[in-house]
Amino acid sequence: MTKILKIIFLTFLLTSCGFQRMDTVGGMNFYVENINFLGDKKSGYIISNSIMPYSNPSSQNKINLNLNVSREKVAKEKNISNKITKFTLIMNVEIESYISSSSEIKKNNFTHSLDYEVAKNHSNTIAKEKSIVENISNIVGEKIVRYLRSEYN
């Protein structure tokens, strides 16, 4: 009986505490009017798709973004016969953000890297690389959303 009362008490306590997630769509105070890409278009498109759901059309902060996306594939490990066994994919995104009504430009840099192993088949290695590019692009997109939220809220 006391366990049931404790559970009920904790339920009421936690539901009335006013907790809200930080990344809810309504909590964003910026609207992305335009995104321009330079460099890797595929990664830029994925990053753009991860930013746009957080854009709030009713916001007063209407911002434009310029993304310079570059990625580099570096051999991380080689075996005894000098064949590459592991790659590191490094993505660097330079962002320029500015409010449409202002001339102030804010610049920031986001970098993330992930490793992947070479598969026995070349086509499997290419598939791994594709999935790593998507993962890194989504991670960098989330970093950019956190940055925009902190700058424009």
Side-chain angles (χ1 to χ4, degrees):
M1 185 69 173
T2 59
K3 287 184 181 181
I4 296 173
L5 289 174
K6 287 180 183 178
I7 292 173
I8 291 172
F9 177 73
L10 283 175
T11 304
F12 284 121
L13 181 68
L14 292 177
T15 56
S16 62
C17 70
F19 173 77
Q20 288 184 338
R21 287 182 46 167
M22 293 286 289
D23 61 350
T24 57
V25 175
M28 299 300 167
N29 195 22
F30 63 87
Y31 174 65
V32 179
E33 281 187 322
N34 191 14
I35 299 179
N36 298 319
F37 308 115
L38 288 174
D40 185 20
K41 300 287 186 193
K42 179 181 177 184
S43 298
Y45 183 72
I46 295 170
I47 291 170
S48 151
N49 284 342
S50 63
I51 293 172
M52 291 310 287
Y54 296 100
S55 182
N56 185 0
S58 63
S59 173
Q60 296 295 325
N61 295 326
K62 300 192 183 314
I63 61 174
N64 292 314
L65 298 176
N66 294 326
L67 301 176
N68 186 1
V69 183
S70 63
R71 68 177 182 203
E72 181 182 1
K73 186 166 91 169
V74 179
K76 184 174 183 180
E77 290 181 7
K78 292 184 179 184
N79 62 10
I80 296 172
S81 62
N82 209 21
K83 289 186 180 178
I84 298 171
T85 58
K86 198 179 261 189
F87 283 106
T88 299
L89 193 66
I90 303 167
M91 183 175 291
N92 184 30
V93 179
E94 297 172 9
I95 182 173
E96 292 180 355
S97 61
Y98 57 94
I99 297 179
S100 299
S101 60
S102 170
S103 63
E104 178 186 357
I105 296 176
K106 297 180 181 179
K107 296 181 180 184
N108 206 337
N109 227 356
F110 299 95
T111 303
H112 196 77
S113 65
L114 287 176
D115 300 334
Y116 65 98
E117 293 184 5
V118 175
K120 294 186 190 250
N121 297 334
H122 182 68
S123 60
N124 290 346
T125 304
I126 298 297
K128 279 184 181 183
E129 183 179 347
K130 263 185 169 179
S131 71
I132 291 292
V133 167
E134 287 183 22
N135 289 342
I136 290 178
S137 299
N138 286 324
I139 290 168
V140 170
E142 290 171 9
K143 286 181 180 182
I144 291 172
V145 167
R146 277 188 245 125
Y147 164 74
L148 293 174
R149 186 173 192 278
S150 68
E151 285 294 319
Y152 296 105
N153 265 351

mmCIF file of all heavy atoms in Angstrom, residues 50-80:
data_model
loop_
_atom_site.group_PDB
_atom_site.id
_atom_site.type_symbol
_atom_site.label_atom_id
_atom_site.label_comp_id
_atom_site.label_asym_id
_atom_site.label_seq_id
_atom_site.Cartn_x
_atom_site.Cartn_y
_atom_site.Cartn_z
ATOM 1 N N SER A 50 17.677 19.139 -41.250
ATOM 2 C CA SER A 50 17.632 18.966 -39.805
ATOM 3 C C SER A 50 17.425 20.300 -39.077
ATOM 4 O O SER A 50 17.004 20.315 -37.925
ATOM 5 C CB SER A 50 18.893 18.267 -39.296
ATOM 6 O OG SER A 50 20.025 19.043 -39.539
ATOM 7 N N ILE A 51 17.689 21.429 -39.737
ATOM 8 C CA ILE A 51 17.483 22.745 -39.124
ATOM 9 C C ILE A 51 16.043 23.227 -39.301
ATOM 10 O O ILE A 51 15.440 23.777 -38.377
ATOM 11 C CB ILE A 51 18.459 23.784 -39.733
ATOM 12 C CG1 ILE A 51 19.888 23.458 -39.350
ATOM 13 C CG2 ILE A 51 18.112 25.194 -39.291
ATOM 14 C CD1 ILE A 51 20.919 24.325 -40.057
ATOM 15 N N MET A 52 15.478 23.034 -40.475
ATOM 16 C CA MET A 52 14.193 23.641 -40.820
ATOM 17 C C MET A 52 13.013 23.249 -39.918
ATOM 18 O O MET A 52 12.155 24.092 -39.670
ATOM 19 C CB MET A 52 13.847 23.358 -42.285
ATOM 20 C CG MET A 52 14.745 24.095 -43.262
ATOM 21 S SD MET A 52 14.918 25.854 -42.930
ATOM 22 C CE MET A 52 13.329 26.442 -43.447
ATOM 23 N N PRO A 53 12.917 22.021 -39.387
ATOM 24 C CA PRO A 53 11.788 21.740 -38.494
ATOM 25 C C PRO A 53 11.771 22.598 -37.229
ATOM 26 O O PRO A 53 10.724 22.767 -36.602
ATOM 27 C CB PRO A 53 11.969 20.270 -38.133
ATOM 28 C CG PRO A 53 12.780 19.694 -39.218
ATOM 29 C CD PRO A 53 13.664 20.803 -39.689
ATOM 30 N N TYR A 54 12.903 23.148 -36.843
ATOM 31 C CA TYR A 54 12.983 23.977 -35.643
ATOM 32 C C TYR A 54 12.743 25.448 -35.928
ATOM 33 O O TYR A 54 12.734 26.263 -35.024
ATOM 34 C CB TYR A 54 14.342 23.789 -34.967
ATOM 35 C CG TYR A 54 14.544 22.390 -34.467
ATOM 36 C CD1 TYR A 54 15.294 21.474 -35.187
ATOM 37 C CD2 TYR A 54 13.955 21.965 -33.284
ATOM 38 C CE1 TYR A 54 15.470 20.186 -34.737
ATOM 39 C CE2 TYR A 54 14.114 20.673 -32.830
ATOM 40 C CZ TYR A 54 14.875 19.794 -33.560
ATOM 41 O OH TYR A 54 15.039 18.509 -33.117
ATOM 42 N N SER A 55 12.575 25.788 -37.184
ATOM 43 C CA SER A 55 12.341 27.166 -37.580
ATOM 44 C C SER A 55 10.895 27.542 -37.256
ATOM 45 O O SER A 55 9.960 26.852 -37.656
ATOM 46 C CB SER A 55 12.620 27.293 -39.081
ATOM 47 O OG SER A 55 12.451 28.597 -39.495
ATOM 48 N N ASN A 56 10.707 28.637 -36.542
ATOM 49 C CA ASN A 56 9.386 29.075 -36.091
ATOM 50 C C ASN A 56 8.931 30.262 -36.942
ATOM 51 O O ASN A 56 9.449 31.368 -36.790
ATOM 52 C CB ASN A 56 9.461 29.457 -34.609
ATOM 53 C CG ASN A 56 8.127 29.800 -34.019
ATOM 54 O OD1 ASN A 56 7.114 29.758 -34.697
ATOM 55 N ND2 ASN A 56 8.126 30.141 -32.749
ATOM 56 N N PRO A 57 7.950 30.066 -37.837
ATOM 57 C CA PRO A 57 7.527 31.147 -38.750
ATOM 58 C C PRO A 57 6.961 32.384 -38.049
ATOM 59 O O PRO A 57 6.980 33.471 -38.610
ATOM 60 C CB PRO A 57 6.446 30.498 -39.610
ATOM 61 C CG PRO A 57 6.637 29.044 -39.455
ATOM 62 C CD PRO A 57 7.254 28.823 -38.120
ATOM 63 N N SER A 58 6.493 32.251 -36.818
ATOM 64 C CA SER A 58 5.918 33.410 -36.128
ATOM 65 C C SER A 58 6.967 34.197 -35.340
ATOM 66 O O SER A 58 6.619 35.137 -34.632
ATOM 67 C CB SER A 58 4.808 32.945 -35.186
ATOM 68 O OG SER A 58 5.346 32.091 -34.189
ATOM 69 N N SER A 59 8.225 33.862 -35.484
ATOM 70 C CA SER A 59 9.292 34.536 -34.751
ATOM 71 C C SER A 59 9.630 35.884 -35.364
ATOM 72 O O SER A 59 9.474 36.097 -36.565
ATOM 73 C CB SER A 59 10.534 33.658 -34.737
ATOM 74 O OG SER A 59 11.619 34.359 -34.184
ATOM 75 N N GLN A 60 10.132 36.784 -34.525
ATOM 76 C CA GLN A 60 10.580 38.098 -34.999
ATOM 77 C C GLN A 60 11.988 38.028 -35.588
ATOM 78 O O GLN A 60 12.362 38.858 -36.398
ATOM 79 C CB GLN A 60 10.571 39.102 -33.834
ATOM 80 C CG GLN A 60 9.203 39.359 -33.264
ATOM 81 C CD GLN A 60 8.283 40.028 -34.275
ATOM 82 O OE1 GLN A 60 8.730 40.833 -35.085
ATOM 83 N NE2 GLN A 60 7.019 39.686 -34.245
ATOM 84 N N ASN A 61 12.781 37.046 -35.158
ATOM 85 C CA ASN A 61 14.155 36.893 -35.631
ATOM 86 C C ASN A 61 14.178 36.104 -36.932
ATOM 87 O O ASN A 61 14.229 34.889 -36.930
ATOM 88 C CB ASN A 61 15.024 36.187 -34.585
ATOM 89 C CG ASN A 61 15.182 36.981 -33.327
ATOM 90 O OD1 ASN A 61 15.237 38.200 -33.371
ATOM 91 N ND2 ASN A 61 15.252 36.302 -32.202
ATOM 92 N N LYS A 62 14.146 36.794 -38.047
ATOM 93 C CA LYS A 62 14.191 36.153 -39.355
ATOM 94 C C LYS A 62 15.643 36.166 -39.816
ATOM 95 O O LYS A 62 16.191 37.221 -40.103
ATOM 96 C CB LYS A 62 13.275 36.862 -40.331
ATOM 97 C CG LYS A 62 11.826 36.853 -39.852
ATOM 98 C CD LYS A 62 10.871 37.267 -40.894
ATOM 99 C CE LYS A 62 9.446 37.338 -40.422
ATOM 100 N NZ LYS A 62 8.966 36.261 -39.650
ATOM 101 N N ILE A 63 16.239 34.975 -39.858
ATOM 102 C CA ILE A 63 17.672 34.901 -40.124
ATOM 103 C C ILE A 63 17.960 34.226 -41.458
ATOM 104 O O ILE A 63 17.154 33.441 -41.970
ATOM 105 C CB ILE A 63 18.426 34.169 -38.991
ATOM 106 C CG1 ILE A 63 17.934 32.741 -38.840
ATOM 107 C CG2 ILE A 63 18.305 34.906 -37.695
ATOM 108 C CD1 ILE A 63 18.710 31.923 -37.846
ATOM 109 N N ASN A 64 19.099 34.559 -42.004
ATOM 110 C CA ASN A 64 19.631 33.927 -43.208
ATOM 111 C C ASN A 64 20.913 33.214 -42.816
ATOM 112 O O ASN A 64 21.678 33.707 -41.987
ATOM 113 C CB ASN A 64 19.918 34.962 -44.285
ATOM 114 C CG ASN A 64 18.653 35.588 -44.813
ATOM 115 O OD1 ASN A 64 17.684 34.894 -45.099
ATOM 116 N ND2 ASN A 64 18.659 36.898 -44.930
ATOM 117 N N LEU A 65 21.144 32.061 -43.424
ATOM 118 C CA LEU A 65 22.325 31.268 -43.111
ATOM 119 C C LEU A 65 23.147 31.029 -44.369
ATOM 120 O O LEU A 65 22.599 30.738 -45.428
ATOM 121 C CB LEU A 65 21.925 29.902 -42.532
ATOM 122 C CG LEU A 65 21.157 29.882 -41.226
ATOM 123 C CD1 LEU A 65 20.763 28.454 -40.880
ATOM 124 C CD2 LEU A 65 21.976 30.485 -40.124
ATOM 125 N N ASN A 66 24.444 31.149 -44.238
ATOM 126 C CA ASN A 66 25.389 30.745 -45.281
ATOM 127 C C ASN A 66 26.224 29.613 -44.695
ATOM 128 O O ASN A 66 26.895 29.803 -43.680
ATOM 129 C CB ASN A 66 26.293 31.906 -45.694
ATOM 130 C CG ASN A 66 25.527 33.006 -46.371
ATOM 131 O OD1 ASN A 66 24.555 32.764 -47.074
ATOM 132 N ND2 ASN A 66 25.961 34.234 -46.158
ATOM 133 N N LEU A 67 26.148 28.451 -45.316
ATOM 134 C CA LEU A 67 26.886 27.285 -44.837
ATOM 135 C C LEU A 67 27.985 26.933 -45.831
ATOM 136 O O LEU A 67 27.718 26.753 -47.014
ATOM 137 C CB LEU A 67 25.957 26.075 -44.692
ATOM 138 C CG LEU A 67 24.764 26.201 -43.758
ATOM 139 C CD1 LEU A 67 23.923 24.932 -43.826
ATOM 140 C CD2 LEU A 67 25.214 26.445 -42.351
ATOM 141 N N ASN A 68 29.202 26.832 -45.343
ATOM 142 C CA ASN A 68 30.317 26.349 -46.150
ATOM 143 C C ASN A 68 30.680 24.973 -45.600
ATOM 144 O O ASN A 68 31.299 24.864 -44.540
ATOM 145 C CB ASN A 68 31.498 27.306 -46.072
ATOM 146 C CG ASN A 68 32.612 26.904 -47.005
ATOM 147 O OD1 ASN A 68 32.514 25.922 -47.742
ATOM 148 N ND2 ASN A 68 33.688 27.656 -46.972
ATOM 149 N N VAL A 69 30.259 23.931 -46.308
ATOM 150 C CA VAL A 69 30.410 22.555 -45.830
ATOM 151 C C VAL A 69 31.583 21.902 -46.551
ATOM 152 O O VAL A 69 31.645 21.890 -47.774
ATOM 153 C CB VAL A 69 29.120 21.738 -46.093
ATOM 154 C CG1 VAL A 69 29.247 20.336 -45.543
ATOM 155 C CG2 VAL A 69 27.906 22.432 -45.492
ATOM 156 N N SER A 70 32.492 21.363 -45.767
ATOM 157 C CA SER A 70 33.600 20.608 -46.352
ATOM 158 C C SER A 70 33.767 19.317 -45.569
ATOM 159 O O SER A 70 33.544 19.286 -44.364
ATOM 160 C CB SER A 70 34.891 21.419 -46.323
ATOM 161 O OG SER A 70 35.272 21.698 -45.001
ATOM 162 N N ARG A 71 34.129 18.273 -46.279
ATOM 163 C CA ARG A 71 34.396 17.010 -45.599
ATOM 164 C C ARG A 71 35.673 16.410 -46.159
ATOM 165 O O ARG A 71 36.040 16.634 -47.314
ATOM 166 C CB ARG A 71 33.221 16.049 -45.710
ATOM 167 C CG ARG A 71 32.955 15.514 -47.067
ATOM 168 C CD ARG A 71 31.817 14.522 -47.041
ATOM 169 N NE ARG A 71 31.640 13.990 -48.375
ATOM 170 C CZ ARG A 71 30.552 13.460 -48.820
ATOM 171 N NH1 ARG A 71 29.509 13.387 -48.038
ATOM 172 N NH2 ARG A 71 30.483 12.998 -50.036
ATOM 173 N N GLU A 72 36.338 15.669 -45.292
ATOM 174 C CA GLU A 72 37.622 15.098 -45.644
ATOM 175 C C GLU A 72 37.672 13.659 -45.145
ATOM 176 O O GLU A 72 37.277 13.365 -44.017
ATOM 177 C CB GLU A 72 38.730 15.923 -44.980
ATOM 178 C CG GLU A 72 40.115 15.470 -45.267
ATOM 179 C CD GLU A 72 41.144 16.315 -44.541
ATOM 180 O OE1 GLU A 72 40.781 17.237 -43.797
ATOM 181 O OE2 GLU A 72 42.329 16.025 -44.727
ATOM 182 N N LYS A 73 38.139 12.782 -46.009
ATOM 183 C CA LYS A 73 38.281 11.367 -45.655
ATOM 184 C C LYS A 73 39.767 11.094 -45.466
ATOM 185 O O LYS A 73 40.563 11.276 -46.380
ATOM 186 C CB LYS A 73 37.692 10.491 -46.756
ATOM 187 C CG LYS A 73 37.668 9.026 -46.426
ATOM 188 C CD LYS A 73 36.781 8.271 -47.388
ATOM 189 C CE LYS A 73 37.547 7.771 -48.573
ATOM 190 N NZ LYS A 73 36.785 6.821 -49.383
ATOM 191 N N VAL A 74 40.130 10.663 -44.265
ATOM 192 C CA VAL A 74 41.531 10.448 -43.911
ATOM 193 C C VAL A 74 41.721 8.990 -43.523
ATOM 194 O O VAL A 74 40.909 8.424 -42.787
ATOM 195 C CB VAL A 74 41.934 11.358 -42.722
ATOM 196 C CG1 VAL A 74 43.377 11.132 -42.333
ATOM 197 C CG2 VAL A 74 41.665 12.804 -43.038
ATOM 198 N N ALA A 75 42.788 8.389 -44.013
ATOM 199 C CA ALA A 75 43.119 7.020 -43.622
ATOM 200 C C ALA A 75 43.589 7.031 -42.179
ATOM 201 O O ALA A 75 44.523 7.748 -41.819
ATOM 202 C CB ALA A 75 44.194 6.455 -44.527
ATOM 203 N N LYS A 76 42.929 6.238 -41.337
ATOM 204 C CA LYS A 76 43.266 6.232 -39.924
ATOM 205 C C LYS A 76 44.213 5.087 -39.564
ATOM 206 O O LYS A 76 45.166 5.279 -38.819
ATOM 207 C CB LYS A 76 41.999 6.139 -39.079
ATOM 208 C CG LYS A 76 42.263 6.224 -37.598
ATOM 209 C CD LYS A 76 40.995 6.268 -36.805
ATOM 210 C CE LYS A 76 41.343 6.436 -35.331
ATOM 211 N NZ LYS A 76 40.161 6.479 -34.517
ATOM 212 N N GLU A 77 43.921 3.900 -40.082
ATOM 213 C CA GLU A 77 44.744 2.738 -39.763
ATOM 214 C C GLU A 77 45.086 1.969 -41.032
ATOM 215 O O GLU A 77 44.297 1.905 -41.959
ATOM 216 C CB GLU A 77 43.992 1.795 -38.822
ATOM 217 C CG GLU A 77 43.790 2.307 -37.434
ATOM 218 C CD GLU A 77 43.055 1.311 -36.556
ATOM 219 O OE1 GLU A 77 42.815 0.163 -36.986
ATOM 220 O OE2 GLU A 77 42.708 1.693 -35.433
ATOM 221 N N LYS A 78 46.281 1.384 -41.024
ATOM 222 C CA LYS A 78 46.705 0.501 -42.107
ATOM 223 C C LYS A 78 47.190 -0.799 -41.478
ATOM 224 O O LYS A 78 47.710 -0.812 -40.375
ATOM 225 C CB LYS A 78 47.839 1.139 -42.920
ATOM 226 C CG LYS A 78 47.415 2.348 -43.717
ATOM 227 C CD LYS A 78 48.554 2.858 -44.550
ATOM 228 C CE LYS A 78 48.110 4.059 -45.376
ATOM 229 N NZ LYS A 78 49.166 4.521 -46.259
ATOM 230 N N ASN A 79 47.019 -1.896 -42.230
ATOM 231 C CA ASN A 79 47.510 -3.178 -41.717
ATOM 232 C C ASN A 79 48.958 -3.402 -42.158
ATOM 233 O O ASN A 79 49.589 -2.520 -42.744
ATOM 234 C CB ASN A 79 46.582 -4.324 -42.136
ATOM 235 C CG ASN A 79 46.498 -4.492 -43.631
ATOM 236 O OD1 ASN A 79 47.259 -3.896 -44.385
ATOM 237 N ND2 ASN A 79 45.553 -5.305 -44.065
ATOM 238 N N ILE A 80 49.464 -4.594 -41.898
ATOM 239 C CA ILE A 80 50.864 -4.902 -42.186
ATOM 240 C C ILE A 80 51.178 -4.791 -43.678
ATOM 241 O O ILE A 80 52.254 -4.348 -44.073
ATOM 242 C CB ILE A 80 51.220 -6.312 -41.661
ATOM 243 C CG1 ILE A 80 51.087 -6.323 -40.147
ATOM 244 C CG2 ILE A 80 52.609 -6.730 -42.078
ATOM 245 C CD1 ILE A 80 51.215 -7.691 -39.538
#
